[in-house]
């Protein structure tokens, strides 16, 4: 949804600047968000696509893979599970930039999308998503985004492995969305198609083991595109995708009847408070200050706490390009701990705010969030381990429970 504030840079939706920002912060996919290049991490665009048989992680992160087996050097350094696409055969299908010739697998991905994998944002937008699904045959980038999400969702929730197809569809969708944003269309249907593709890419990022920075970057890009390019959402297929519209629909979902067991929220508050000495930058203190309001608000009202979390979720769209680059920098341990606390308190809040019978569309998301958290704390120096006690214990608890309700984040 659009943030309460505005971006410090009117060019934040530039795809070329986005590529530089994303790779400089986490070597992630190129996304439609502009942020400044981190001068401490010199980059090269050459040689990127020359590793034809590189592992999935390196292809997705768009870095050079040295193709060592069973684990390449980048995956070993980041403690990632390293896997490679199958050796191509003459009969192997190839995903082309134009998806007019669909395979049977693509039809399965599409079916998964329209029946199970529709993004949870905007809230109560099923009708709009059906319109977008019908529009996908007119927009190649939307078709690839839909198929990529369907493939990732199937992979996470079944025994099938469609990681290769999901990655290929995703890379094509990102490339084509960036091309669209280099000269944004003016008609509402095309703008809706771009926004829908971004929602799909965000949701797919939440199903990727090392997709944290990618997830945050595309979310920020989506917020800025709504503000800078779309503006008026009243004629969109997602007319409720505004701050007011989201808050109104949230009020219909939140329950205020039970707030008995506040143990997890209390433990979260203590852990968050321990992070304060680590914070240096003004944006970190602003982010921390908003997050610290959640435990206080939940004592008064579930809805009030939800609204604060909603603001926190879109808050990075108000950061400058430099601030956002530092927020998602994996070597900025203070910011990384703040982000992990934000992702985990989502589940803590949902257990209080939502009814136990709230449908869960993507239970595998919980598994991914736990991996993000554990990967982040495993890469931190020994001096930071004392700040990760609650993260470890809460991840263990989440892993053991079947309750994986979350508020509205994809």
């Amino acid at each position: 949804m659009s943030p309460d504030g505005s971006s410090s840079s009117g060019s934040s939706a530039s795809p070329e600047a986005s590529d530089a920002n994303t790779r400089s912060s986490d070597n992630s996919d190129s996304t439609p968000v502009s942020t400044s290049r981190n001068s401490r991490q010199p980059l090269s665009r050459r040689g990127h696509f020359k590793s034809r048989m590189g592992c999935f992680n390196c292809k997705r992160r768009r870095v050079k893979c040295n193709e060592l087996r069973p684990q390449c050097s980048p995956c070993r350094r980041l403690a990632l599970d390293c896997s490679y696409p199958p050796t191509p055969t003459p009969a192997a299908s190839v995903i082309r930039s134009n998806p007019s010739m669909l395979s049977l697998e693509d039809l399965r991905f599409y079916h998964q999308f329209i029946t199970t994998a529709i993004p949870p944002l905007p809230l109560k937008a099923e009708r709009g998503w059906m319109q977008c699904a019908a529009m996908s045959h007119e927009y190649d980038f939307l078709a690839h985004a839909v198929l990529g999400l369907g493939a990732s969702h199937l992979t996470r929730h079944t025994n099938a492995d469609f990681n290769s197809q999901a990655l290929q569809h995703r890379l094509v969708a990102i490339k084509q969305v960036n091309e669209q944003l280099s000269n944004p269309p003016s008609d509402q249907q095309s703008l809706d198609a771009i926004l829908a593709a971004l929602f799909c890419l965000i949701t797919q990022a939440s199903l990727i083991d090392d997709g944290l920075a990618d997830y945050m970057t595309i979310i920020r890009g989506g917020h800025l595109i709504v503000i800078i390019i779309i503006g008026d959402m009243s004629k969109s297929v997602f007319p409720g995708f505004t701050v007011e519209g989201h808050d109104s629909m949230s009020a219909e979902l939140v329950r205020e009847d039970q707030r008995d067991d506040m143990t997890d929220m209390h433990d979260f508050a203590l852990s968050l408070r321990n992070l304060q000495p680590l914070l240096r930058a003004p944006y970190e203190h602003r982010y921390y200050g908003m997050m610290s309001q959640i435990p206080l608000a939940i004592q008064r009202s579930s809805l009030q706490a939800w609204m604060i979390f909603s603001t926190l979720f879109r808050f990075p769209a108000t950061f400058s390009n430099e601030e956002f680059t530092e927020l998602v920098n994996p070597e900025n341990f203070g910011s990384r701990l703040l982000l992990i606390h934000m992702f985990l308190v989502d589940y803590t809040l949902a257990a209080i705010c939502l009814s136990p019978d709230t449908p869960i569309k993507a239970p595998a998301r919980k598994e991914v969030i736990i991996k993000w958290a554990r990967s982040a704390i495993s890469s931190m120096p020994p001096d930071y381990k004392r700040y990760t006690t609650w993260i470890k214990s809460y991840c263990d608890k989440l892993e053991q429970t079947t309750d994986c309700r979350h508020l509205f984040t994809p």
Side-chain angles (χ1 to χ4, degrees), residues 382-398:
D383 291 348
Y384 285 83
K385 299 301 182 183
R386 55 180 170 166
Y387 302 106
T388 66
T389 303
W390 176 77
I391 294 175
K392 293 177 181 176
S393 62
Y394 191 65
C395 283
D396 291 341
K397 180 177 180 178
L398 267 183

Side-chain angles (χ1 to χ4, degrees), residues 45-69 72-74 82-85 88 167-168 171:
R45 300 176 68 94
R46 295 183 300 173
H48 169 65
F49 287 109
K50 295 186 182 300
S51 178
R52 300 297 184 185
M53 295 304 296
C55 74
F56 288 124
N57 289 327
C58 289
K59 283 180 177 292
R60 193 193 65 76
R61 294 172 60 243
R62 310 192 80 174
V63 299
K64 182 72 173 178
C65 180
N66 59 13
E67 301 180 21
L68 293 179
R69 297 175 186 256
C72 70
S73 297
C82 187
S83 59
Y84 289 84
L167 173 62
Q168 292 180 68
L171 293 177

